[in-house]
Amino acid sequence: LMLAHGDSYQISQDGGETWGDDQPLNAETGADGIIRFQSGALAIYGKKGDRWHFSSSPDEGKTWTAPVLITNYPDYYPMHHSMIQLKSGRLLLVGYWCGLNPAAPDAKRYSWTGWGWWRGAVLFMDGHRGPEMGIGLAYYSDDEGQTWQRCGGEPMGGLFGWFDERGVPNGEGGATGIYEPTAAETKDGRVLLFARSKVGRLVQSYSLNDGDVWHSILPTELSSSQAPPLLIQIPQTGDLLCVWNQVSTEEILWGFARG
């Protein structure tokens, strides 16, 4: 097993129980995710400067191709392990735009944390309490990462929730941001996207055409804190596996949004 992270990688010879020392990745871009193509080559995606790039390796990670720009969309952020290859061969990378970069010059106007008054003292509550608007954005490549396009085309292609308290997508509840999406292909060839939100549940969307167009964002049955999930397809069975941070109704009502 090869675990690539940042500018280095580690190798496990025993199925992940133990890992060797860090080795230099020797790629021009860092690794936020690593996959193996159906053709057998390895590929990584990561940041070069402040933009996301893609690189592949035909020799098991010894050398890497020159980085290819995925997108120059400002403040775009894909999660770790957000790139998948579909049965069709298409590479799909899901991510989101939040628009409130803490490093931006005007970031001082916003608060990214929550504070509460408790027994005469101001106490830190949790992160991600500021006025954020999360919009999902997905990119695809049909030539093993040599060129990339935004799903839905330009200028469309953004995803956000538009459902009421019953989960009906009518806009009566206002806009619901989605953050840190993750996606997996289902047995019947659809693409399922999960994301964190601020409604006490994970939210989801389906695509019937390899990510070109997505259905309305709706809440799932999985109660969740405002923390990112991870959704994958198990190769041997085709079943889906989701790992997420579940919280109870009581915890949500008490305001443990990211506890």
Side-chain angles (χ1 to χ4, degrees), residues 117-187:
W117 183 263
W118 175 254
R119 294 183 178 179
V122 177
L123 300 178
F124 172 75
M125 293 170 61
D126 61 44
H128 293 272
R129 283 280 184 168
E132 305 168 333
M133 180 59 199
I135 297 177
L137 297 168
Y139 291 83
Y140 71 91
S141 172
D142 289 328
D143 53 14
E144 288 199 336
Q146 299 308 301
T147 58
W148 292 85
Q149 290 81 38
R150 179 142 59 105
C151 295
E154 303 285 354
M156 303 300 290
L159 280 172
F160 59 89
W162 195 242
F163 51 82
D164 62 14
E165 69 278 1
R166 298 162 296 170
V168 179
N170 53 23
E172 293 181 3
T176 298
I178 70 168
Y179 313 87
E180 296 174 302
T182 179
E185 191 169 17
T186 63
K187 292 180 181 179

Side-chain angles (χ1 to χ4, degrees), residues 42-62:
L42 291 176
I44 58 173
Y45 68 90
K47 270 193 171 182
K48 180 182 179 184
D50 60 351
R51 294 293 184 262
W52 293 90
H53 288 72
F54 172 89
S55 184
S56 61
S57 173
D59 53 12
E60 297 296 282
K62 296 182 178 66

